[in-house]
Amino acid sequence: MKKFKKHIVSILVASLAVTVLPGCTDYLDKAPESEISADEAFKNFHNFQGFVEEMYFCVPNFTTGYWNNSFNWGEDEIINVGKDYFMGYKVDQGDFWGWQSEHDGWQCGFMDINAFTTDYAPDQVANRPTLWQGAWYAIRKANIGLANLEYLTDATQEQKNIIRGQLLFFRGFFHFQLMQYFGGLPYIEEVLSGGKLTLPRLSYHECADKAAADLREAADLLPVNWDETSTGAPTRGNNDLRINKIMALGYLGKNLLWAGSPLMNWESTGSQTYNSDYCRRAAEAFGELLSLVESGRTQYALVPFEDYKENFLTHGKSGLMPGSTEAIFRNPVIEWNRSNWGQTRCYGTQFLDPEGGIIFLPTANYVNYYGMANGLPLDDPDSHFDKSHPWKDRDPRFYHDIRFDGCRLELGGDKGADDVRYAPLYTDGKMRDQIKGSRTGYLNYKFVRDDFNQWDKGGAANWGANNHLLVPYMRLADIYLMYAEAAAEATSVPTGKSSNCVLSAIDAINTIRARAGVDPVNAKYTGSLDAFMSEVRRERAVELAFEAHRFNDLRRWLLLNKYPYNIKTSQEFQRVGDLTGIDKDSSKGVDTKNPQENEVIGFHEEVILTRNFTDKHWWLPLKVNDSKMYVEFGQNPGW
């Protein structure tokens, strides 16, 4: 997208505050709400698309929006001691107010900051879009566009469909993004004039139905691939981020599955079970999408496992956005090299990057969701998991995502790395430092490479490395997993499927496992819905690990406050072998050729944090000023 021209838009944001914001448009020199008449501003596709494109820049970048970004708030991750200003830490303390800028002195969150803008450069971290302001701003803008469609006269029917489809998508998408955190809200379908407001908070189901109507119509209007349309021809090869039919179907299904989930069904009906009708509708949306993918009629496909990291990271490719063929929906901002200086330095500890400082660590309880290559969970008696050889024959995604004791962390042989080269992550090992190292006995390498250290210089602020980290909002693997959940719950059997897709729920899970080289779901987990759903939840935990899904999954499943989902643990053990002088040579007691064969003793977990949540923690609190603005826009329970 081209360099945007600045203008000032006076706009009534639907959070009920009149704000003057710096806006941006690709084509228009002036805001359509200022001196330009509506029939001029919206008369052709070129002008109208310029108006639409600001909404793309209302999508917050949760991965690298700030220098260091906390976006995993479930039981999946813990932060090194002393870094108490991140939302992940605040959630651990039960402080859900922390999402708000008023309670975030560092202004580092993606949900709310003081300096909201849609007109920002890739090197900016202080001024950027965030969810609360951006969603309401974009919803307002979508409604303005929909109200002015009659002025789009100099356009083909295809162009009119694409404009309307994008507007409807963004209205549904941004309402959904808010609903999943805050519950039912007013669903804004008109341009608010600033008069007295009495818009009620709807139930979650009522909101979801309205979002579903918008997303369904958007899917019917939008092309699968802009490159294959005459409208997209001028930008052919650069249309990957533009809203299309697959994105609309993906969020249609996700919106409906969330509505069918226990938390949202409880809020709307009082029942704490899945709602089979919403699950059926979700399965139909996902089934329509997967039928297009499976028949080769889309540009999307699962990335081969050997290229799995390209879903999240590109290295030495001149800032190419990660995602390859699998990413469906991403933040649109292409940042250049910021990852080198920020988020990629948050995973290897200060022993590998002395200036890293912030360390986001996988918890031991979460790592142990990674089962065996035979497809069974660790606690299954037939899994062959051996506590004396805990790294052996594990799910291949374990070896991709996690660095464990004995893994080689420095590749070139620099003598200065001897004491940490082979990841001394055993109990009391060199890297088991609560401030500078790992609190849990594990490191998260899903988003970084093994040469991201001070010696190999693949990352660690090496300007020439050209690293680009970006976690997508939605990728194809997630669609398969959501389809499996929806189809099984809609039909009450693991073999269930939608009417428009040949895949069953079991087939969908096994598609993802096959890509990673993991055996299919074992028959002992396909005999009942409860047994199968335990594997669905575990598969989501593994495949989508650390991608900002777990917190919302635990909430919608009504598991956030239940054991063992409310604890965070460390892995404690000792190496078998001579540990003498380990601080000088970390290879002691290690099979340096194959760390999977390493033997340990005393393998067990210890609880390092217990989260004490009550019923109020199912939803985030609204801003106090907003919740007091008028009676019908009330605060969430307990806050």
Side-chain angles (χ1 to χ4, degrees):
M1 298 180 186
K2 301 176 183 178
K3 176 69 178 176
F4 280 26
K5 298 180 180 179
K6 294 184 179 179
H7 62 261
I8 300 298
V9 179
S10 295
I11 191 167
L12 175 66
V13 182
S15 65
L16 316 177
V18 178
T19 310
V20 178
L21 298 171
C24 47
T25 136
D26 200 357
Y27 304 103
L28 297 177
D29 290 325
K30 298 180 180 179
E33 291 184 296
S34 58
E35 301 104 42
I36 296 180
S37 64
D39 57 351
E40 179 67 21
F42 300 111
K43 69 177 182 181
N44 57 37
F45 177 81
H46 189 266
N47 283 14
F48 215 134
Q49 183 62 24
F51 173 84
V52 168
E53 287 191 354
E54 187 182 18
M55 284 179 280
Y56 286 80
F57 287 79
C58 290
V59 179
N61 180 355
F62 65 84
T63 314
T64 58
Y66 194 68
W67 294 117
N68 311 116
N69 302 271
S70 167
F71 46 85
N72 292 306
W73 306 336
E75 90 285 36
D76 43 355
E77 187 174 273
I78 195 166
I79 307 170
N80 57 320
V81 170
K83 309 303 179 184
D84 58 1
Y85 50 88
F86 288 107
M87 183 61 179
Y89 173 85
K90 294 172 184 176
V91 171
D92 283 347
Q93 308 308 310
D95 177 17
F96 283 17
W97 292 106
W99 75 268
Q100 301 177 16
S101 62
E102 297 92 320
H103 303 281
D104 179 10
W106 285 80
Q107 299 293 295
C108 59
F110 71 88
M111 294 193 68
D112 185 42
I113 61 170
N114 291 329
F116 165 77
T117 182
T118 60
D119 187 16
Y120 66 112
D123 61 346
Q124 288 184 351
V125 295
N127 306 313
R128 60 194 188 278
T130 47
L131 180 60
W132 183 252
Q133 301 101 321
W136 292 121
Y137 184 89
I139 289 166
R140 164 78 175 184
K141 195 172 180 76
N143 284 325
I144 291 172
L146 290 166
N148 285 279
L149 279 172
E150 64 184 286
Y151 296 105
L152 181 57
T153 55
D154 183 12
T156 65
Q157 188 59 50
E158 177 186 84
Q159 290 172 333
K160 292 178 180 180
N161 289 348
I162 285 175
I163 291 293
R164 181 173 175 82
Q166 289 174 96
L167 294 169
L168 289 168
F169 172 85
F170 279 120
R171 188 167 72 180
F173 168 82
F174 280 111
H175 274 106
F176 168 74
Q177 291 298 322
L178 294 173
M179 289 155 49
Q180 68 176 335
Y181 290 107
F182 302 103
L185 295 165
Y187 199 92
I188 313 300
E189 298 177 280
E190 61 183 347
V191 181
L192 301 179
S193 62
K196 182 180 178 181
L197 289 168
T198 59
L199 294 169
R201 292 190 64 175
L202 305 177
S203 72
Y204 197 98
H205 282 175
E206 289 172 326
C207 281
D209 285 340
K210 289 179 176 294
D214 282 346
L215 293 165
R216 177 69 262 177
E217 186 177 353
D220 293 338
L221 291 168
L222 291 165
V224 169
N225 189 344
W226 281 54
D227 280 0
E228 296 177 357
T229 67
S230 58
T231 302
T235 50
R236 184 169 288 126
N238 295 293
N239 291 317
D240 288 353
L241 302 178
R242 298 189 187 279
I243 304 304
N244 60 35
K245 183 183 190 74
I246 301 304
M247 298 175 189
L249 286 174
Y251 275 100
L252 171 61
K254 186 171 184 176
N255 167 62
L256 290 168
L257 176 58
W258 263 229
S261 296
L263 172 62
M264 290 69 173
N265 194 39
W266 181 29
E267 187 256 37
S268 300
T269 70
S271 171
Q272 296 186 10
T273 63
Y274 276 93
N275 184 296
S276 60
D277 182 59
Y278 278 100
C279 289
R280 176 191 58 77
R281 293 165 61 191
E284 292 290 328
F286 293 134
E288 183 179 346
L289 190 164
L290 290 176
S291 292
L292 292 169
V293 170
E294 293 278 318
S295 60
R297 289 180 284 167
T298 76
Q299 62 272 39
Y300 300 105
L302 294 175
V303 171
F305 195 62
E306 58 267 27
D307 299 322
Y308 190 63
K309 199 173 294 292
E310 293 195 3
N311 277 317
F312 323 106
L313 179 79
T314 53
H315 175 80
K317 294 187 176 182
S318 300
L320 176 69
M321 181 174 280
S324 189
T325 60
E326 192 165 330
I328 292 176
F329 189 81
R330 291 168 282 182
N331 172 272
V333 175
I334 300 174
E335 56 91 2
W336 186 76
N337 234 3
R338 188 193 303 164
S339 298
N340 278 348
W341 307 95
Q343 198 69 13
T344 59
R345 308 180 74 174
C346 295
Y347 301 107
T349 80
Q350 288 183 268
F351 292 102
L352 301 180
D353 178 6
E355 297 181 9
I358 314 302
I359 311 165
F360 298 113
L361 297 157
T363 59
N365 47 289
Y366 196 83
V367 169
N368 289 333
Y369 289 127
Y370 290 80
M372 305 297 285
N374 61 21
L376 292 170
L378 299 188
D379 59 0
D380 188 293
D382 297 321
S383 71
H384 306 304
F385 174 65
D386 178 4
K387 287 188 175 183
S388 65
H389 293 86
W391 329 126
K392 188 174 182 179
D393 298 329
R394 298 287 291 272
D395 184 322
R397 291 169 292 188
F398 171 79
Y399 303 115
H400 177 276
D401 295 357
I402 305 299
R403 294 296 172 268
F404 51 90
D405 183 70
C407 287
R408 182 162 183 160
L409 299 179
E410 187 275 339
L411 308 176
D414 190 302
K415 292 295 290 182
D418 282 355
D419 60 348
V420 295
R421 178 177 291 111
Y422 291 98
L425 290 166
Y426 59 90
T427 301
D428 296 326
K430 176 76 172 182
M431 296 188 77
R432 290 295 291 273
D433 185 292
Q434 293 195 29
I435 297 175
K436 298 190 298 181
S438 174
R439 302 174 66 183
T440 68
Y442 295 110
L443 303 176
N444 177 5
Y445 267 53
K446 185 169 189 174
F447 308 133
V448 295
R449 291 160 42 110
D450 285 322
D451 61 356
F452 282 22
N453 59 67
Q454 62 179 305
W455 302 283
D456 294 321
K457 299 186 185 304
N462 175 14
W463 183 263
N466 276 318
N467 295 308
H468 189 174
L469 169 63
L470 186 73
V471 179
Y473 272 73
M474 178 180 284
R475 60 185 176 97
L476 185 57
D478 188 14
I479 300 296
Y480 280 97
L481 298 179
M482 289 190 290
Y483 171 79
E485 180 181 350
E489 287 293 342
T491 59
S492 298
V493 291
T495 54
K497 62 178 68 173
S498 67
S499 63
N500 55 358
C501 185
V502 298
L503 296 175
S504 69
I506 296 173
D507 294 334
I509 292 287
N510 289 337
T511 297
I512 301 304
R513 290 193 173 190
R515 186 261 293 272
V518 181
D519 286 354
V521 180
N522 190 282
K524 67 172 69 178
Y525 295 99
T526 62
S528 72
L529 180 61
D530 286 346
F532 180 69
M533 286 303 296
S534 70
E535 283 295 271
V536 169
R537 289 191 290 270
R538 190 172 70 82
E539 189 66 26
R540 281 189 68 81
V542 173
E543 176 62 31
L544 302 176
F546 316 117
E547 296 180 43
H549 295 286
R550 188 64 174 178
F551 178 67
N552 285 331
D553 276 347
L554 290 181
R555 289 175 50 247
R556 69 186 179 88
W557 292 330
L558 289 175
L559 296 177
L560 186 70
N561 64 350
K562 295 178 176 60
Y563 181 86
Y565 307 103
N566 65 333
I567 63 169
K568 298 189 176 186
T569 70
S570 63
Q571 200 71 67
E572 306 302 330
F573 58 92
Q574 291 291 336
R575 292 175 175 174
V576 172
D578 182 11
L579 296 181
T580 303
I582 190 66
D583 288 345
K584 295 181 180 179
D585 183 357
S586 62
S587 67
K588 297 288 187 178
V590 171
D591 185 329
T592 58
K593 292 184 178 179
N594 187 4
Q596 299 176 29
E597 297 291 337
N598 290 342
E599 185 177 359
V600 307
I601 56 174
F603 188 82
H604 70 283
E605 291 177 65
E606 291 185 5
V607 176
I608 54 178
L609 187 145
T610 298
R611 307 205 293 189
N612 298 308
F613 295 146
T614 65
D615 279 352
K616 75 177 185 178
H617 290 101
W618 295 123
W619 304 105
L620 271 60
L622 298 168
K623 287 175 173 281
V624 171
N625 287 342
D626 287 347
S627 67
K628 291 182 177 180
M629 212 165 276
Y630 66 98
V631 173
E632 291 84 358
F633 195 71
Q635 181 60 275
N636 277 328
W639 298 103

